[in-house]
Amino acid sequence: MTIDHAFLQSLPKVELHLHIEGTLEPELMFELAQRNNVALPFDSVDQLRAAYQFNDLQSFLDLYYQGASVLLTEQDFYDLTWAYLERCQQDNVQHVEIFFDPQTHTDRGIAFATVINGIKRALHDAQQQWQISYGIILCFLRHLSEEQALATLAQAEPFKQHIIGIGLDSSEVGHPPQKFARAFAAAKQQGYRLVAHAGEEGPAEYIWEALQQLSVERIDHGVRCVDDEELVALLVNEQIPLTVCPTSNVRLKVFEQMSEHNLKQLLERGLKVTINSDDPAYFGGYMMENYRQVEAALGLSTAQWLQLSRNAIEASFASPERKAELLEQLPQR
Ligand code: ADE
Ligand code: ZN
């Protein structure tokens, strides 16, 4: 059976690797800049979008942090999150676990409460309106210090019931997971679920460290695991989920083009792979576009698409009841 748009659309989707700041579309960035009187170093939406040519992770992060400067009020964070959830509804995404980077905002003088309350209110409204279930994951910025991560964890304390997990993102190379061993141990003790970006640009060694020194349950990206056979064997045996982001990997030149992406190979080797959009406003694709591009370049079978969908449901931090509900919606083929 051929894989068509209708089949991909029908799959109940779960997004596990999505930076909410990475969903800020140029149009909304300009609207918020005007609303908040923030100057942007671009004259137009088109000029800004034309600047989205990245050589690597850092060249993207520089623009991504600059873009976030227009987010000031709780309503701004609400509008940002709501716009993303509208895309989820269009793409049949039914469960989301959203990353946010509080340090990007608190370092500019924005209150932690402003950020999380805006995000949370939009998620709540989308759950009411479209039954999209959700979790919120707080990410430490790895280019900052572990002391700053611990201070952020302390700031999160009053909002703990709204935060399901702790993650680690930003500039990977030179900032190995072990730098955050104490912060992750503290987070674990406080009952948070744990994830970390590793093996995106950084080496397979960082994936080992994330597992062994941070005790994470999922690896964000992880595509470089193939450089280490022993690591691949462990990831397969333990069925540790990898939240892979195909369009992101191509736009940040982790792979030169989609046809070179190792997602199909990872799947065929028995790794628990999932598909996610990472920073869709910057990389040109929400969930369906990632599915579409993967299918066009790699040509997966129906069984492989169902496996990817099942993987994402099982890898999520949703309740067992919610997971069962989502699994039931998988097409029977
Ligand atoms: N922050 C936002 N997107 C990221 C990515 N793909 N890798 C690391 N940090 C990020
Ligand atoms: Zn990411």
Side-chain angles (χ1 to χ4, degrees):
M1 119 90 249
T2 57
I3 303 297
D4 57 17
H5 180 89
F7 173 72
L8 295 180
Q9 175 69 26
S10 77
L11 294 169
K13 297 174 193 70
V14 166
E15 174 129 84
L16 303 177
H17 185 154
L18 181 282
H19 303 264
I20 198 62
E21 294 89 349
T23 68
L24 179 54
E25 291 286 344
E27 289 79 5
L28 183 58
M29 197 190 293
F30 268 80
E31 193 183 316
L32 296 180
Q34 201 165 36
R35 184 154 107 189
N36 293 330
N37 252 317
V38 175
L40 284 175
F42 297 96
D43 293 333
S44 66
V45 163
D46 288 343
Q47 198 193 41
L48 174 58
R49 200 165 256 126
Y52 291 178
Q53 306 282 341
F54 311 115
N55 306 316
D56 53 18
L57 175 59
Q58 193 58 50
S59 61
F60 152 69
L61 289 171
D62 293 343
L63 264 179
Y64 163 85
Y65 293 129
Q66 182 182 76
S69 68
V70 303
L71 296 160
L72 299 188
T73 68
E74 184 186 314
Q75 190 60 41
D76 298 341
F77 287 96
Y78 180 95
D79 293 347
L80 173 72
T81 308
W82 186 255
Y84 163 66
L85 290 162
E86 286 181 326
R87 306 299 284 254
C88 289
Q89 204 268 335
Q90 288 164 18
D91 286 358
N92 197 21
V93 177
Q94 301 196 22
H95 177 82
V96 297
E97 291 175 14
I98 291 185
F99 296 138
F100 78 117
D101 291 337
Q103 290 159 295
T104 299
H105 313 298
T106 53
D107 287 0
R108 299 182 287 121
I110 314 294
F112 191 103
T114 300
V115 180
I116 194 154
N117 289 342
I119 295 171
K120 162 86 188 157
R121 186 157 58 85
L123 286 163
H124 173 83
D125 287 355
Q127 183 165 46
Q128 297 293 309
Q129 194 161 327
W130 296 312
Q131 293 75 51
I132 297 173
S133 52
Y134 63 88
I136 300 177
I137 298 176
L138 181 167
C139 283
F140 298 139
L141 296 179
R142 68 201 304 159
H143 66 272
L144 300 179
S145 70
E146 186 175 51
E147 285 64 35
Q148 287 165 298
L150 283 162
T152 303
L153 190 63
Q155 279 183 315
E157 180 86 41
F159 307 95
K160 204 157 159 265
Q161 78 272 27
H162 302 311
I163 301 172
I164 193 157
I166 297 292
L168 184 65
D169 66 2
S170 194
S171 319
E172 186 182 10
V173 175
H175 301 284
Q178 56 148 319
K179 177 177 163 187
F180 295 91
R182 284 184 311 144
F184 270 68
K188 187 175 183 181
Q189 199 164 36
Q190 292 174 31
Y192 290 107
R193 312 296 292 264
L194 304 176
V195 300
H197 283 55
E200 177 185 16
E201 280 188 347
E205 178 58 28
Y206 284 15
I207 302 176
W208 279 114
E209 275 186 29
L211 295 170
Q212 295 178 333
Q213 300 196 40
L214 305 187
S215 304
V216 301
E217 296 175 61
R218 298 196 299 240
I219 297 289
D220 296 316
H221 293 294
V223 291
R224 300 254 339 244
C225 69
V226 290
D227 297 340
D228 184 330
E229 285 303 319
E230 205 185 323
L231 175 61
V232 170
L234 174 86
L235 294 170
V236 171
N237 289 338
E238 307 277 322
Q239 286 291 284
I240 294 161
L242 304 183
T243 64
V244 174
C245 305
T247 57
S248 163
N249 291 156
V250 173
R251 294 296 288 271
L252 300 187
K253 301 196 167 21
V254 174
F255 297 96
E256 275 308 312
Q257 43 190 345
M258 196 61 86
S259 58
E260 290 170 21
H261 200 289
N262 66 5
L263 180 135
K264 188 173 182 174
Q265 180 201 342
L266 296 173
L267 203 53
E268 285 171 350
R269 295 185 68 177
L271 286 141
K272 201 176 185 80
V273 181
T274 67
I275 293 184
N276 307 271
S277 70
D278 206 7
D279 303 283
Y282 291 88
F283 303 145
Y286 290 80
M287 279 290 260
M288 259 306 274
E289 182 60 17
N290 274 272
Y291 277 45
R292 200 192 60 71
Q293 288 190 28
V294 164
E295 178 53 29
L298 304 177
L300 306 186
S301 67
T302 305
Q304 286 174 322
W305 279 110
L306 292 173
Q307 186 66 51
L308 282 165
S309 305
R310 210 175 296 119
N311 287 351
I313 296 167
E314 289 169 0
S316 77
F317 297 148
S319 67
E321 298 74 31
R322 180 62 176 148
K323 286 186 186 186
E325 226 172 72
L326 292 166
L327 285 168
E328 255 173 43
Q329 289 187 44
L330 282 177
Q332 302 298 318
R333 293 193 198 227

